[in-house]
Amino acid sequence: MSDLVSDTAMVMAAGLGKRMRPLTASMPKPMVRVAGKPLIDHALDRLAENGIARAVVNVHYMADALEAHVIDRSAPEIVISDERDALLETGGGMVKAQDSLPDPFFCLNADNIWLDGPRDAFRDLSARWNPDEMDALLLLTGHARAVNFSGQGDFYMDAVGQLTRRRTGRIAPFIYTGIQLVSKRLLREAPEGKFSTNILWDRAISEGRLYGVSFTGLWFEVGTPQAIGPTEDALKRG
């Protein structure tokens, strides 16, 4: 793990998956199959391949099925963060799980699919990490490397990597991939209960402590059933 700054990732798997309906009427979104295996296995297999030893997986929607699917894995070792009682969104989910997380920790969405470039995503983040300057470091991609993505982008990034939000009515050049490296400083004085990580990111932006790094690989937006076919085709092409 010498070139990774953390051996642990939080995997966000608790959401309702509304955009993936009707497939999520009968299964949680991380269990939807793409290219022969569930979305969450794409993420967990990539963690294992890249030497990340532990994955803290939060569960809420159809939690029993998701927990049963992942709990016997040894690579990475699985720790369940149980949100059965209340869905906490991304920010609240990290706060609930923080006692199981080191400082810093990787965080990624359970429905992420990506193909690494010359260096894998977690080493891209580790190589850029500076805890003295950063509360979080987001893995970003440009529109040309975002397969199936049709939105307006999320962030502007300056020459040193500091991030600001897309302005209303404008196109932003960088898209958040759903993968980040997080300092526990980001979670300080967090709201209670359910809230979005955006609240914490906005504070970090105001303090000049939200940074990004441009991903060297390909990232796939797999938010709807219609995106599955094109994603499978692109993966076959490698």
Side-chain angles (χ1 to χ4, degrees):
M1 194 196 91
S2 58
D3 52 351
L4 293 174
V5 297
S6 183
D7 69 349
T8 299
M10 180 162 188
V11 181
M12 295 289 184
L16 301 177
K18 292 179 179 178
R19 292 175 60 221
M20 193 60 89
R21 289 175 178 165
L23 299 178
T24 48
S26 57
M27 69 183 79
K29 183 180 179 183
M31 294 290 290
V32 171
R33 297 180 78 86
V34 175
K37 64 183 177 181
L39 282 164
I40 194 168
D41 286 353
H42 285 275
L44 293 173
D45 289 350
R46 192 56 55 87
L47 293 176
E49 289 164 9
N50 292 325
I52 293 175
R54 296 174 68 248
V56 178
V57 180
N58 68 340
V59 297
H60 172 75
Y61 179 62
M62 297 191 179
D64 291 350
L66 189 54
E67 182 173 352
H69 179 73
V70 302
I71 197 62
D72 291 333
R73 289 187 70 119
S74 58
E77 172 194 354
I78 302 296
V79 177
I80 297 295
S81 182
D82 192 339
E83 295 181 22
R84 283 173 172 85
D85 290 344
L87 181 62
L88 296 172
E89 292 194 21
T90 52
M94 280 196 285
V95 169
K96 180 177 175 62
Q98 64 181 319
D99 289 346
S100 299
L101 297 166
D103 189 11
F105 61 95
F106 296 105
C107 185
L108 66 155
N109 296 334
D111 57 357
N112 264 9
I113 293 182
W114 70 95
L115 292 174
D116 285 315
R119 184 166 57 187
D120 69 75
F122 306 104
R123 284 166 179 81
D124 276 342
L125 290 166
S126 294
R128 183 66 183 88
W129 181 245
N130 183 340
D132 294 333
E133 296 179 352
M134 302 171 184
D135 285 355
L137 177 63
L138 278 53
L139 190 73
L140 305 175
T141 188
H143 290 258
R145 292 182 175 271
V147 182
N148 302 326
F149 184 81
S150 59
Q152 296 176 306
D154 302 306
F155 294 102
Y156 307 99
M157 182 163 59
D158 71 12
V160 298
Q162 282 190 339
L163 300 184
T164 52
R165 295 277 190 185
R166 179 181 65 84
R167 293 186 286 276
T168 303
R170 303 290 294 275
I171 300 291
F174 290 101
I175 301 151
Y176 175 52
T177 64
I179 305 173
Q180 61 179 321
L181 181 54
V182 181
S183 166
K184 283 194 166 178
R185 187 178 186 275
L186 185 75
L187 307 182
R188 75 192 190 281
E189 300 168 6
E192 293 186 6
K194 174 181 177 180
F195 72 95
S196 169
T197 309
N198 283 309
I199 292 172
L200 304 179
W201 284 350
D202 285 342
R203 180 179 63 188
I205 288 171
S206 72
E207 296 173 348
R209 295 183 61 88
L210 189 71
Y211 281 75
V213 62
S214 186
F215 185 39
T216 55
L218 279 180
W219 172 76
F220 298 84
E221 165 73 23
V222 196
T224 64
Q226 293 73 31
I228 293 174
T231 299
E232 292 176 333
D233 291 342
L235 289 171
K236 287 176 187 174
R237 295 193 297 270

